[in-house]
Amino acid sequence: MILTFVHSLAFLSGLVFAKPLQQQQAVWRPSQDGQLRDLHIGDLNFLHTTDTHGWLGSHLTQANYDADWGDFVSFVDVFRNKMTQLARDVIVIDTGDKRDGNGLSDATWPPGLRSSKIFNMLDYDLLTLGNHELYTADSAILEYRGTSQSAKFKDKYVCSNVEFIEEDGKRVPFGNKFVTFETPIQKQRILAMSFLFSFQRANNRAIVTPPLEEIMEKRWFQNMVETNKEGDIDLIVVFGHLPATDPTEREMHKIHALLREHYPNTVIQYFGGHTHIRDFVQLDSKSTCLQSGRFAETVGFLSINTTNAMGEDNPSFTRRYIDFNKDSFEYHLSKLATDVDTSASTRKGETISRLVSDLRHELNLNQKLGYIPATYYVSTRPLESEENLYHLITHKILPNLIPSKNYEPIMSRFILINTGSVRYDLYKGPFTKDTEYIVMPFNNDWHFITVPLVVASKVESYLNRGPVIASLGIPSSLHQNQQFNRFQNCPFIEDPNLSEGYTTEDDFGCHGDDTPHNSQQEYGIPNVVQCKDMKKSKEEEDPLKMVHVIFYTFMELDILNAVNSIINNLDLRMENLTTNDCSHYGGESTKKLLRDYFAQF
Ligand SMILES: *[C@@H]1O[C@H](CO)[C@@H](O)[C@H](O)[C@H]1NC(C)=O
Ligand SMILES: *[C@@H]1O[C@H](CO)[C@@H](O)[C@H](O)[C@H]1NC(C)=O
Ligand SMILES: *[C@@H]1O[C@H](CO)[C@@H](O)[C@H](O)[C@H]1NC(C)=O
Ligand SMILES: [Zn+2]
Ligand SMILES: [Zn+2]
């Protein structure tokens, strides 16, 4: 539990742009003073969101993340206002993936139809797209027309390596290739670019060029470099949908190497996303990258002084990961001493909170389908733990699968699912329609094959040695192999008085999170998990006895390949199986079985 107490704030008076204070707004529950780590304001300050995936309505069952989009808009507006009074600049950035993950975006077609209008009420200075804006043509059209080409963001939407395809087949840049602007207060000259990682599965209305190819081969980049010489700009901002840490592709590091050829001395600040983690990387003495988590759990803060106190040409950077809750927002605002103090909420923010709440009702997301008596975790409890969500699914949910035909009821069976079909922890509290969108949105059909027990029993471990089995529409399957604990030098905090949450380790150390948390251990997640439904005890089972292997239809080729390889390795006198050997099993989807299970509470 975070220590909270209620007190009213005498200093919240004299408003600049918020509506007059009412009593209820003057009451807030800051985390106890000194509990949170402060922001270190610089000349140039950034607020960053990424991978929000439709989470505009707060996390209703997680106190750590209890702020909704309206609360956040208030925070940003008041923050900006206070910065102006302090004669400092602030730039607000988003790096994409705004749908697929929450009912607010996904209960409409295309996903984001309604939620993107609310998202866009925040006055971003720079924004772009992620791969989740490009899975379908409808999504791409919505993003292009509704955001990139909108009157509000036409000059702020940057997308250096993606093209949109018009109805007539004409290719146009999805957004500005780059923009230049001067910050309002300190008149810093900024050059901004934005790259999406080399995404291969874009729909037929968009073309993604790998970032390096774009830089090396396209004319605009040469023109940009020629018209924006090092001496003409103070800072380069490269924001985009690609990870800060990427041990295999290292796309951001490669972009950086190329930019340094043209701008050897310029401060270059990167903002990243896609892998859903909090991360901060120092690329060289004049360049860092911030990545700000996922799902409106995190607001990233970054500050830069381009020259240090001695007037030397050596920039300094600070970073902070702000927990997305009202206490954190209000705490940080209260620390910014200005002559005119304002409420932490604005009329605009309150309107947006109401719009979010209305949309939630309209889409029927609060509809109660059951109750979750205890929290189940995806990756912060080991697989064999009763608190692990996959453990629940394989032990309590999948055994309830009943085939549509009465296949030999005494036959043992293995039911396999890919772990990517689950996308979030399942928190104690009401099981609503929104819970389904958040945790398990996809319907599935079941196929099965009949093979000897000795083969069936080896399929799971075979698939878990192989590459990731991804299914379309899952936000970044990368978070499934979160091998990003790069140093593991930070102390593991065990303090039950603190709320459970992130303890981030990055290039600047162990204290980036604004809120100290009771640390969570991350456990590796395999590709697939299985329910083993044996009709006899182990000793009685004949290894050559035939059993059923049941799986999601989209995993069929992976399963066949595994089974055939196992047959070959075992030298069994059996023909390879083909899709003709796969049949419909029938029965309810995992999603429905999960709902039915919690309907009983
Ligand atoms: C930036 O400089 C100011 C003084 O002008 C100082 O108070 C602040 O701590 C510095 N911030 C960073 C990030 O170095
Ligand atoms: C938790 O809080 C209690 C009561 O304030 C205190 O006695 C205890 O030492 C705290 N535990 C830790 C690990 O700090
Ligand atoms: C059977 O499948 C395995 C694995 O895919 C393959 O290596 C083998 O060549 C196949 N055998 C035949 C006879 O097709
Ligand atoms: Zn994402
Ligand atoms: Zn992504």
Side-chain angles (χ1 to χ4, degrees):
M1 284 289 288
I2 295 184
L3 294 170
T4 57
F5 55 95
V6 174
H7 69 147
S8 67
L9 282 183
F11 69 81
L12 292 181
S13 55
L15 304 187
V16 176
F17 56 88
K19 75 173 184 183
L21 264 192
Q22 282 156 16
Q23 195 50 42
Q24 60 181 39
Q25 289 172 276
V27 178
W28 58 301
R29 303 167 296 112
S31 297
Q32 198 171 43
D33 205 49
Q35 288 267 304
L36 295 196
R37 301 187 183 106
D38 291 340
L39 310 181
H40 300 295
I41 303 301
D43 295 331
L44 202 49
N45 303 280
F46 296 86
L47 295 174
H48 176 223
T49 53
T50 189
D51 295 273
T52 47
H53 288 285
W55 283 84
L56 306 182
S58 93
H59 294 242
L60 296 177
T61 46
Q62 291 172 275
N64 267 2
Y65 311 124
D66 74 356
D68 67 23
W69 205 246
D71 301 316
F72 181 49
V73 167
S74 291
F75 171 71
V76 170
D77 287 349
V78 176
F79 188 86
R80 201 195 292 270
N81 192 273
K82 290 196 168 208
M83 285 292 125
T84 306
Q85 291 175 46
L86 295 167
R88 300 291 206 282
D89 283 304
V90 55
I91 297 176
V92 188
I93 298 180
D94 182 76
T95 46
D97 272 7
K98 295 172 273 194
R99 52 210 65 162
D100 301 337
N102 190 288
L104 285 169
S105 56
D106 305 351
T108 62
W109 187 264
L113 180 68
R114 306 287 302 279
S115 62
S116 61
K117 290 200 177 76
I118 297 175
F119 182 93
N120 288 353
M121 288 178 177
L122 199 144
D123 295 334
Y124 280 107
D125 297 296
L126 292 170
L127 67 173
T128 187
L129 49 69
N131 49 310
H132 282 270
E133 276 70 58
L134 296 183
Y135 278 109
T136 66
D138 288 342
S139 286
I141 293 165
L142 175 68
E143 179 71 5
Y144 180 73
R145 302 221 191 286
T147 302
S148 167
Q149 297 302 300
S150 67
K152 179 173 182 180
F153 291 131
K154 210 172 179 346
D155 300 328
K156 302 180 172 178
Y157 199 98
V158 188
C159 198
S160 305
N161 65 324
V162 183
E163 259 60 46
F164 178 73
I165 301 172
E166 299 274 16
E167 269 81 21
D168 61 7
K170 197 169 132 229
R171 283 189 192 193
V172 293
F174 209 107
N176 297 285
K177 290 290 184 188
F178 68 95
V179 296
T180 55
F181 60 96
E182 212 175 65
T183 62
I185 312 284
Q186 303 208 343
K187 309 292 177 204
Q188 305 246 16
R189 295 160 301 173
I190 313 277
L191 166 64
M193 283 163 267
S194 172
F195 296 96
L196 171 65
F197 71 97
S198 299
F199 175 55
Q200 308 286 332
R201 297 220 304 260
N203 68 89
N204 61 3
R205 296 297 294 272
I207 297 175
V208 181
T209 307
L212 291 193
E213 207 179 300
E214 183 79 35
I215 293 177
M216 292 196 288
E217 294 172 13
K218 299 278 179 77
R219 190 69 217 146
W220 69 266
F221 186 81
Q222 273 315 315
N223 289 343
M224 181 195 82
V225 167
E226 279 155 27
T227 50
N228 294 275
K229 297 248 178 344
E230 186 150 54
D232 303 333
I233 50 176
D234 298 309
L235 179 87
I236 297 177
V237 173
V238 183
F239 67 110
H241 199 73
L242 76 185
T245 300
D246 177 357
T248 47
E249 301 302 326
R250 293 177 57 82
E251 283 190 300
M252 192 191 63
H253 286 77
K254 290 173 185 167
I255 292 169
H256 184 60
L258 281 174
L259 285 178
R260 273 280 172 255
E261 290 177 12
H262 301 279
Y263 301 97
N265 292 305
T266 311
V267 178
I268 307 181
Q269 181 58 48
Y270 294 82
F271 293 89
H274 184 60
T275 43
H276 293 185
I277 59 169
R278 296 179 172 189
D279 199 8
F280 180 79
V281 170
Q282 177 125 35
L283 289 102
D284 59 39
S285 69
K286 292 184 175 181
S287 182
T288 70
C289 178
L290 177 70
Q291 188 176 329
S292 306
R294 61 168 191 180
F295 299 166
E297 295 172 343
T298 303
V299 182
F301 169 82
L302 182 119
S303 68
I304 307 176
N305 284 352
T306 42
T307 54
N308 66 13
M310 323 292 288
E312 288 160 348
D313 182 25
N314 244 336
S316 55
F317 303 86
T318 75
R319 55 80 182 95
R320 187 66 76 219
Y321 311 101
I322 302 171
D323 272 9
F324 211 102
N325 65 57
K326 293 180 228 178
D327 289 351
S328 277
F329 292 172
E330 291 175 37
Y331 174 84
H332 293 302
L333 292 178
S334 75
K335 286 289 186 171
L336 298 175
T338 51
D339 294 343
V340 191
D341 272 307
T342 55
S343 161
S345 85
T346 64
R347 178 171 294 167
K348 179 179 170 191
E350 285 164 16
T351 303
I352 293 174
S353 294
R354 254 194 320 275
L355 287 175
V356 170
S357 159
D358 290 350
L359 182 58
R360 198 187 267 291
H361 279 101
E362 203 182 316
L363 298 175
N364 210 12
L365 300 177
N366 296 330
Q367 188 193 342
K368 215 176 149 218
L369 307 172
Y371 185 79
I372 309 154
T375 299
Y376 297 94
Y377 300 88
V378 170
S379 62
T380 53
R381 296 294 185 278
L383 270 185
E384 46 300 341
S385 161
E386 306 253 319
E387 290 184 316
N388 183 286
L389 183 47
Y390 297 113
H391 186 279
L392 175 84
I393 291 172
T394 52
H395 289 75
K396 295 272 168 42
I397 308 293
L398 293 178
N400 303 332
L401 176 64
I402 300 166
S404 52
K405 285 187 217 148
N406 197 12
Y407 299 116
E408 268 194 77
I410 45 120
M411 195 178 267
S412 295
R413 58 182 187 166
F414 292 74
I415 310 169
L416 289 107
I417 65 166
N418 69 316
T419 54
S421 57
V422 176
R423 44 184 202 190
Y424 202 61
D425 296 338
L426 189 56
Y427 284 90
K428 182 176 188 307
F431 187 103
T432 63
K433 200 164 160 226
D434 202 25
T435 310
E436 279 192 347
Y437 282 109
I438 291 166
V439 174
M440 186 165 269
F442 305 108
N443 285 308
N444 68 272
D445 285 327
W446 299 103
H447 274 183
F448 77 102
I449 51 174
T450 311
V451 292
L453 172 62
V454 64
V455 174
S457 62
K458 290 184 163 57
V459 173
E460 182 194 35
S461 59
Y462 183 94
L463 290 173
N464 284 338
R465 286 194 302 272
V468 172
I469 299 172
S471 50
L472 194 79
I474 302 285
S476 173
S477 60
L478 280 167
H479 78 281
Q480 304 293 340
N481 334 316
Q482 211 163 33
Q483 310 300 351
F484 292 111
N485 296 342
R486 288 181 288 140
F487 323 86
Q488 291 165 333
N489 292 321
C490 293
F492 189 84
I493 298 165
E494 281 179 274
D495 180 351
N497 293 343
L498 301 175
S499 64
E500 196 171 326
Y502 295 111
T503 305
T504 308
E505 179 159 2
D506 63 25
D507 276 5
F508 274 12
C510 308
H511 296 111
D513 305 297
D514 78 330
T515 311
H517 287 291
N518 193 16
S519 304
Q520 286 180 319
Q521 186 81 48
E522 281 281 338
Y523 297 88
I525 301 171
N527 261 334
V528 297
V529 290
Q530 71 179 4
C531 161
K532 224 169 127 177
D533 188 6
M534 308 304 282
K535 300 302 177 197
K536 286 185 178 167
S537 72
K538 208 172 168 188
E539 296 72 41
E540 293 170 322
E541 287 280 11
D542 171 1
L544 293 179
K545 187 171 167 60
M546 299 305 260
V547 300
H548 285 156
V549 176
I550 302 141
F551 47 86
Y552 291 160
T553 45
F554 87 90
M555 290 165 63
E556 186 167 295
L557 293 179
D558 299 292
I559 296 279
L560 286 174
N561 181 43
V563 163
N564 290 337
S565 301
I566 294 165
I567 289 172
N568 269 268
N569 294 344
L570 291 176
D571 239 346
L572 296 180
R573 294 223 188 92
M574 258 181 85
E575 299 233 333
N576 273 2
L577 277 71
T578 70
T579 51
N580 293 334
D581 300 302
C582 301
S583 321
H584 278 284
Y585 193 70
E588 305 281 12
S589 65
T590 309
K591 168 181 165 167
K592 177 70 166 47
L593 295 172
L594 190 73
R595 179 201 298 179
D596 291 346
Y597 178 78
F598 288 105
Q600 61 181 309
F601 297 109

